[in-house]
């Protein structure tokens, strides 16, 4: 939902820093445990042996069940209550609304979508909340106006200090106003990123020319933009298509943002953007598996009973539903994707092979939990563990095994949709 606001954007009062996550080459594959790692040997049933994930698991198995559950619930609350404010500025007509819709996975006309093709008539900031992540906000800020408009006054008017980072958009060469604004943002110690938009129009205009070379044209555009910005240090310029985020520099932009955000804010951003590349799919799987650790530990029964023997499957269902939405497998996402690629929803769903092909509901979660073959495998593996005395034990291990299984299954479905639609 969009609101015209002059008040301060919400700021996150509890950011936490963690090690930057490493990429996963195959979210659905099972790595071999390292023979010299004690924790790898103890938790060999875990799908992932990523050092960062194992480190998080170890936090919960080394302490008493009550302490582990409380720590997990606090960490989960920190993850879910993170606030991310992203400012997008630029002159009217550069494609800010289209960009805000694209990164939220919305099409023009969808509920909550920014209206496109409208000339700016006010100096108000418009806030757009994310459709599924309430703490993620995109702010459409009006262009700075004429060079006579003071950048400092502009920054003060919109309380720029409360934004996490700034995106300055231009559909041609960046103007003097953009440069003045970037200088002031830099003085504030904030990060800004230049996006060259509407690249599709450039390609369409040039492609009919003899000896057209798209890569050469893109290189020329990048060089021209950077030369235009040389007085502020020749910053990186990211070329984007709002019609296909998987093309050009969107992933490169995300990789840059990863290095400049706290772990919780990065995780929120990853979960908020649509799957546009294999790299993003892998990173989503990584972040969801990290979150699953806290969910599994928080849901674990102090009596040591695994989730398949308790009523805690409601917590599992809620988590797996969020995974489905993050991967773009929910009904609304499938409907939007079908319209975009000119296929039926049935065609797309037929590519999905996991037990979640019909959605995450009580029946599918129950089938996953109570599958006799899988349950036997889990229990056999769990009983073979040598758990530390007083650890959260069987409940945590079995919970996490099932949650990671769910993430992997849906990651495979998301990859199948990318392949069939050509959005890779």
């Amino acid at each position: 939902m969009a609101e015209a606001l002059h008040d301060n954007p919400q700021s996150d009062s509890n950011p936490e820093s963690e090690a930057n996550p490493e990429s996963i080459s195959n979210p659905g594959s099972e790595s071999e445990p390292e023979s010299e790692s004690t924790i790898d040997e103890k938790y060999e049933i875990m799908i992932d042996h990523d050092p960062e994930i194992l480190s998080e698991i170890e936090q919960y198995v080394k302490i008493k069940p009550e302490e582990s559950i409380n720590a997990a619930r606090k960490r989960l609350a920190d993850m879910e209550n993170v606030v991310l404010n992203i400012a997008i500025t630029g002159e009217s007509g550069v494609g800010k609304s289209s960009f805000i819709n694209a990164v939220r996975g919305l099409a023009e006309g969808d509920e909550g979508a920014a209206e496109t093709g409208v000339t700016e008539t006010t100096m108000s900031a418009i806030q757009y909340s994310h459709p599924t992540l309430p703490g993620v906000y995109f702010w459409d800020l009006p262009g700075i106006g004429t060079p006579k408009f003071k950048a400092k006054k502009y920054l003060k008017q919109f309380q720029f200090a409360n934004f996490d980072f700034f995106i300055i958009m231009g559909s041609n060469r960046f103007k003097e106003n953009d440069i003045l604004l970037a200088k002031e943002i830099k003085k504030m110690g904030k990060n800004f990123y230049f996006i060259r938009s509407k690249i599709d129009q450039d390609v369409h205009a040039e492609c009919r020319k003899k000896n057209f070379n798209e890569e050469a044209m893109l290189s020329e555009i990048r060089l021209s933009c950077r030369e235009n910005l040389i007085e502020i240090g020749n910053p990186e310029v990211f070329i984007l298509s709002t019609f296909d985020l998987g093309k050009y520099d969107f992933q490169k932009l995300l990789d840059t943002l990863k290095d400049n955000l706290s772990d919780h804010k990065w995780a929120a951003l990853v979960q908020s953007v649509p799957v546009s590349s294999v790299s993003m799919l892998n990173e989503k799987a990584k972040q969801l598996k990290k979150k699953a650790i806290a969910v599994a530990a928080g849901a674990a029964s102090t009596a040591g009973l695994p989730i398949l023997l308790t009523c805690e499957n409601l917590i599992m269902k809620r988590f797996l539903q969020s995974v489905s939405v993050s991967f773009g497998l929910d009904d609304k996402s499938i409907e939007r994707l079908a319209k975009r690629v000119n296929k039926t929803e049935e065609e797309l769903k037929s590519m999905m092979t996991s037990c979640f092909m019909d959605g995450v509901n009580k029946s599918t979660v129950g089938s996953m939990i109570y599958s006799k073959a899988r349950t036997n495998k889990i229990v056999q593996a769990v009983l073979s563990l040598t758990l530390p005395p007083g650890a959260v034990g069987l409940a945590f291990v079995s919970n996490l095994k099932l949650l990671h299984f769910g993430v992997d299954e849906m990651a495979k479905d998301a990859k199948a949709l990318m392949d069939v639609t050509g959005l890779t």
Side-chain angles (χ1 to χ4, degrees):
M1 182 176 182
E3 301 176 17
L5 301 176
H6 292 282
D7 298 332
N8 296 359
Q10 298 182 45
S11 60
D12 182 16
S13 59
N14 188 31
E16 293 186 12
S17 297
E18 298 177 353
N20 285 331
E22 300 174 3
S23 62
I24 304 174
S25 58
N26 280 304
S29 65
E30 189 164 338
S31 304
E32 290 295 326
E34 298 178 15
S35 59
E36 297 182 0
S37 172
T38 301
I39 192 155
D40 275 7
E41 292 171 356
K42 286 182 178 179
Y43 298 96
E44 62 183 291
I45 67 164
M46 299 304 174
I47 293 175
D48 254 287
H49 295 276
D50 179 277
E52 186 178 347
I53 290 180
L54 287 171
S55 177
E56 292 218 11
I57 293 173
E58 195 167 23
Q59 293 178 36
Y60 298 108
V61 301
K62 282 187 172 182
I63 57 180
K64 294 180 179 179
E66 296 85 354
E67 296 174 354
S68 178
I69 291 169
N70 291 335
R73 288 174 180 170
K74 181 182 182 303
R75 183 160 179 76
L76 190 59
D78 290 340
M79 291 178 178
E80 294 184 339
N81 294 329
V82 65
V83 175
L84 181 65
N85 287 295
I86 304 169
I88 297 98
T89 186
E91 294 183 345
S92 178
V94 298
K96 291 180 294 179
S97 296
S98 295
F99 175 75
I100 289 172
N101 288 340
V103 294
R104 294 185 300 151
L106 298 177
E108 185 177 2
D110 287 343
E111 181 180 356
E115 192 174 357
T116 60
V118 178
T119 302
E120 270 175 359
T121 58
T122 71
M123 285 298 291
S124 298
I126 303 177
Q127 180 201 65
Y128 294 95
S129 57
H130 193 275
T132 59
L133 294 174
V136 179
Y137 302 98
F138 296 85
W139 295 76
D140 184 348
L141 306 185
I144 195 170
T146 68
K148 293 181 180 179
F149 189 99
K150 300 298 183 181
K152 288 183 179 179
K153 181 180 179 181
Y154 181 86
L155 293 173
K156 184 177 181 180
Q157 177 178 348
F158 295 111
Q159 302 292 333
F160 267 36
N162 292 316
F163 292 107
D164 290 291
F165 62 88
F166 307 87
I167 288 176
I168 303 173
M169 296 187 68
S171 58
N172 203 324
R173 291 175 65 84
F174 292 97
K175 307 293 178 65
E176 180 182 353
N177 316 334
D178 301 319
I179 296 171
L180 291 172
L181 184 59
K183 286 180 177 179
E184 291 301 320
I185 294 173
K186 190 174 184 179
K187 288 180 183 178
M188 294 167 54
K190 296 281 186 173
N191 292 314
F192 58 88
Y193 307 91
F194 284 100
I195 287 182
R196 170 58 160 82
S197 61
K198 298 193 174 182
I199 197 65
D200 311 86
Q201 295 182 8
D202 296 275
V203 173
H204 180 73
E206 297 291 323
C207 67
R208 297 179 183 178
K209 293 182 179 180
K210 187 177 180 180
N211 300 323
F212 169 70
N213 185 307
E214 183 172 333
E215 283 302 317
M217 186 201 75
L218 295 176
S219 296
E220 185 177 337
I221 290 175
R222 288 190 181 94
L223 180 61
S224 175
C225 288
R226 296 187 71 175
E227 288 177 345
N228 183 215
L229 301 171
I230 196 167
E231 63 180 283
I232 52 173
N234 197 22
E236 186 76 58
V237 175
F238 301 94
I239 292 176
L240 295 187
S241 164
T242 56
F243 297 104
D244 187 353
L245 292 176
K247 297 181 69 175
Y248 309 118
D249 296 338
F250 185 62
Q251 186 59 50
K252 189 176 181 181
L253 171 63
L254 292 174
D255 292 340
T256 304
L257 289 170
K258 177 180 178 180
D259 295 332
N260 297 322
L261 290 173
S262 68
D263 187 73
H264 282 344
K265 288 183 183 287
W266 167 244
L269 180 63
V270 168
Q271 292 179 60
S272 70
V273 299
V275 177
S276 57
S277 66
V278 174
S279 294
M280 177 47 59
L281 175 63
N282 293 335
E283 187 63 27
K284 276 182 179 284
K286 174 73 166 285
Q287 294 300 327
L288 290 166
K289 285 184 176 183
K290 287 176 63 179
K291 185 176 180 179
I293 297 170
V295 173
S301 167
T302 56
L305 295 175
I307 196 169
L308 55 155
L309 302 178
T310 72
C311 296
E312 294 160 1
N313 59 342
L314 293 176
I315 298 174
M316 172 183 285
K317 177 184 172 183
R318 178 173 175 268
F319 172 76
L320 291 175
Q321 285 175 334
S322 72
V323 173
S324 177
V325 171
S326 185
F327 280 136
L329 302 176
D330 58 298
D331 288 341
K332 286 186 177 179
S333 296
I334 293 293
E335 180 183 357
R336 286 194 291 266
L337 180 60
K339 292 178 180 178
R340 179 183 171 189
V341 299
N342 197 29
K343 291 182 181 291
T344 66
E345 295 174 47
E346 291 71 24
E347 285 180 282
L348 296 181
K349 288 185 177 182
S350 69
M351 298 295 105
M352 299 163 61
T353 59
S354 77
C355 59
F356 304 103
M357 65 177 70
D358 295 319
V360 179
N361 50 48
K362 183 178 180 180
S363 175
T364 56
V365 173
S367 295
M368 184 182 73
I369 293 174
Y370 293 104
S371 168
K372 183 176 179 180
R374 190 171 298 117
T375 298
N376 287 344
K377 180 179 179 182
I378 294 170
V379 173
Q380 182 181 4
V382 170
L383 292 177
S384 70
L385 301 177
T386 304
L387 295 171
V392 72
L394 300 185
F396 171 61
V397 174
S398 56
N399 289 359
L400 185 55
K401 173 68 177 180
L402 291 171
L403 293 176
H404 276 193
F405 169 80
V407 172
D408 280 336
E409 285 292 285
M410 283 187 267
K412 292 176 184 177
D413 282 345
K415 180 60 168 62
L417 290 183
M418 290 180 67
D419 291 341
V420 74
T421 58
L423 301 178
T424 56

